[in-house]
Amino acid sequence: MPYLKSQHLCDVNYEIRGKIAQKSAELLRSGHNIIELNIGNPAQFGFRVPEAINQAITQNIIQAEAYTDSKGIFPARQAVVNEVQLQGIADVKIEHVFLGNGVSELILLAMEALLNPGDEVLIPSPDYPLWTAAVRLSGGKAVHYNCIEEKGWIPDLADMEAKITSRTKAIVVINPNNPTGAVYDRETLTEIVDLARTHNLILYSDEIYNKITYDGIEHIPMASLSTDVLTVTFGGLSKVYRAAGYRVGWLYFSGPVREAEDYIDGITLLASMRLCSNALGQWGVQAALGGIQSIFSLTAPGGRLYNQRNAVYERLNAIDGVHCAKPLGALYAFPSFDLRRFRFKNDEDFVYRFLSEQQVLLVQGKGFNYFSECHFRVVFLPQVDLINDAMDRLEEFLRENQA
Ligand SMILES: Cc1ncc(COP(=O)(O)O)c(C=O)c1O
């Protein structure tokens, strides 16, 4: 008799490391040289963790042998509070900061502690798919609101509002955005806060890319605008500090937290059940958050990330039949091809054939809960030379597949 996975996994997907990535791994094993543009994993492309973070971790290696407090060590949580204060968000208390094994784990805890069967959560489409997966895994219903490509992928507020029902519990905002690279302006964020206030919804603001913006674009923390709405903000070391493998993230509550005591108890219970998050990584947080932020020299004009963002954006738009909105933040572009002009059934067909014919791994738009049939995500972490190599292959592939 076959051993089956549980039914609550039936609608749970994570295609970034899914079937297409497995196919790519097979090709790698059989000797192919694959350009992997599927995962936002900075160290894979030679980015290094700031020295002070590594020193803080190695100097505390003995201390890190023990379990920590379930919410995390004091200096790390206080460092989060201090940073948040400098962003103009007053009144965040250290007991409302939780450290986790990456933002990933905290998203799971936050949804598991919140949702009853059938509760609805508004999630962007396209999304970072862990959000949809976490809501479904927790028995909730992921309801997707559109983001508008023609307007630089900002959320469609009318669509968001139209999808609010008596079961809606929360709105998820990913800013700067994965997969689109959008960074939301004050007006958009204020309107989202207004909606949440009117309908008594919790705001979840995934700000893991908060310091990765280009062209002088300002990232505005949601919590600085939502002082009277319960807000849960997420950040971490994986992207801004290039330490994805250390598995360190945090969340903090702001706004009317007194009304959320029971919910916070729920997260505390779940945090206790997994004892604590990786202690070594926690020792890097204080060193990360203070002082000069080395990410800014990578995103400034002439910096490595800036140049790579430009290379991807320019090369994609130079291809006839391909369009890409300019990423203003994060590490990704989310272009589309004109379905009528090429011989692809859909986005999935496109990425699978591109992988087998040109050995470049991308992820189809569907993997981000976006069902246009013609979008895909490109990670722009590789050096410009490798980006150019991948884009040459894309050009050739599209030339060969014209309708
Ligand atoms: C928007 C977003 N949130 C969360 C995560 C997960 O990050 P972590 O490494 O902290 O688990 C990612 C990773 O790519 C992401 O893009």
Side-chain angles (χ1 to χ4, degrees):
M1 211 179 71
Y3 297 99
L4 301 178
K5 61 177 181 268
S6 71
Q7 282 170 5
H8 64 255
L9 282 177
C10 75
D11 222 7
V12 175
N13 301 301
Y14 192 77
E15 197 52 31
I16 299 170
R17 286 171 182 259
K19 288 208 176 69
I20 184 131
Q22 286 159 20
K23 166 113 198 262
S24 169
E26 258 168 49
L27 289 170
L28 267 175
R29 278 194 297 275
S30 60
H32 290 280
N33 197 355
I34 310 287
I35 304 181
E36 293 173 306
L37 304 182
N38 65 322
I39 301 185
N41 189 7
Q44 185 188 342
F45 300 96
F47 287 93
R48 293 301 314 272
V49 173
E51 182 70 21
I53 298 180
N54 285 339
Q55 283 198 12
I57 290 175
T58 44
Q59 286 180 21
N60 286 286
I61 195 161
I62 305 286
Q63 295 222 59
E65 288 177 3
Y67 290 134
T68 70
D69 183 290
S70 297
K71 291 184 179 179
I73 59 172
F74 175 86
R77 291 161 66 213
Q78 185 60 42
V80 172
V81 170
N82 293 350
E83 179 173 79
V84 165
Q85 283 173 355
L86 291 177
Q87 293 171 345
I89 305 155
D91 292 340
V92 171
K93 304 259 182 329
I94 191 162
E95 65 263 32
H96 298 142
V97 179
F98 291 74
L99 261 67
N101 294 302
V103 166
S104 306
E105 184 194 43
L106 294 166
I107 291 173
L108 290 165
L109 295 191
M111 293 300 104
E112 183 76 51
L114 178 77
L115 297 172
N116 290 309
D119 283 347
E120 296 174 8
V121 178
L122 285 163
I123 296 178
S125 169
D127 71 345
Y128 174 61
L130 187 68
W131 279 101
T132 296
V135 167
R136 291 182 180 156
L137 196 60
S138 307
K141 183 172 167 201
V143 177
H144 293 106
Y145 62 84
N146 294 328
C147 295
I148 309 169
E149 183 169 17
E150 298 71 31
K151 294 188 178 167
W153 291 111
I154 62 163
D156 180 341
L157 273 301
D159 188 54
M160 196 186 274
E161 183 160 30
K163 286 175 175 162
I164 295 173
T165 72
S166 59
R167 297 303 306 269
T168 310
K169 298 280 283 256
I171 303 173
V172 173
V173 174
I174 303 169
N175 180 40
N177 191 270
N178 176 6
T180 65
V183 181
Y184 303 152
D185 58 22
R186 190 173 296 273
E187 196 186 331
T188 303
L189 292 170
T190 306
E191 285 183 54
I192 297 172
V193 173
D194 290 345
L195 265 188
R197 183 188 303 110
T198 307
H199 298 274
N200 206 14
L201 306 176
I202 305 176
L203 284 168
Y204 290 94
S205 193
D206 183 340
E207 301 183 6
I208 192 164
Y209 300 98
N210 68 345
K211 295 189 176 78
I212 308 184
T213 66
Y214 309 97
D215 309 332
I217 300 280
E218 181 196 11
H219 170 260
I220 302 166
M222 175 77 88
S224 67
L225 305 175
S226 60
T227 46
D228 59 347
V229 173
L230 186 68
T231 304
V232 189
T233 302
F234 297 79
L237 295 189
S238 292
K239 314 292 179 177
V240 173
Y241 305 94
R242 290 88 74 196
Y246 293 179
R247 310 307 302 125
V248 184
W250 51 84
L251 69 71
Y252 61 86
F253 282 82
S254 60
V257 283
R258 221 177 298 146
E259 292 163 31
E261 267 173 28
D262 196 54
Y263 175 40
I264 294 172
D265 274 356
I267 296 191
T268 307
L269 170 66
L270 292 175
S272 316
M273 285 163 59
R274 58 76 155 121
L275 311 179
C276 67
S277 71
N278 169 24
L280 267 179
Q282 294 184 42
W283 283 102
V285 174
Q286 187 181 27
L289 291 179
I292 290 170
Q293 299 288 298
S294 56
I295 189 74
F296 295 139
S297 58
L298 297 169
T299 56
R304 187 177 155 187
L305 282 172
Y306 177 84
N307 290 343
Q308 292 167 189
R309 186 280 308 248
N310 287 353
V312 161
Y313 170 67
E314 283 159 17
R315 289 292 311 263
L316 283 168
N317 281 307
I319 303 175
D320 218 15
V322 173
H323 166 75
C324 179
K326 194 171 199 175
L328 299 177
L331 309 170
Y332 316 95
F334 198 61
S336 62
F337 57 86
D338 186 342
L339 254 180
R340 292 160 304 182
R341 295 183 53 179
F342 301 102
R343 292 189 312 253
F344 307 118
K345 276 188 243 128
N346 53 34
D347 51 345
E348 218 164 352
D349 184 38
F350 163 80
V351 295
Y352 273 87
R353 285 189 37 212
F354 190 37
L355 175 63
S356 41
E357 291 171 32
Q358 292 286 347
Q359 289 78 51
V360 180
L361 173 59
L362 300 170
V363 183
Q364 63 273 31
K366 243 182 231 108
F368 303 91
N369 295 296
Y370 195 69
F371 297 96
S372 68
E373 310 275 1
C374 60
H375 281 77
F376 57 100
R377 188 185 75 166
V378 183
V379 171
F380 55 73
L381 282 167
Q383 297 275 12
V384 170
D385 282 354
L386 194 57
I387 288 174
N388 279 328
D389 186 354
M391 292 298 131
D392 290 346
R393 296 186 201 198
L394 181 61
E395 263 177 14
E396 188 183 320
F397 178 63
L398 291 173
R399 215 175 19 247
E400 284 168 357
N401 283 286
Q402 281 182 22

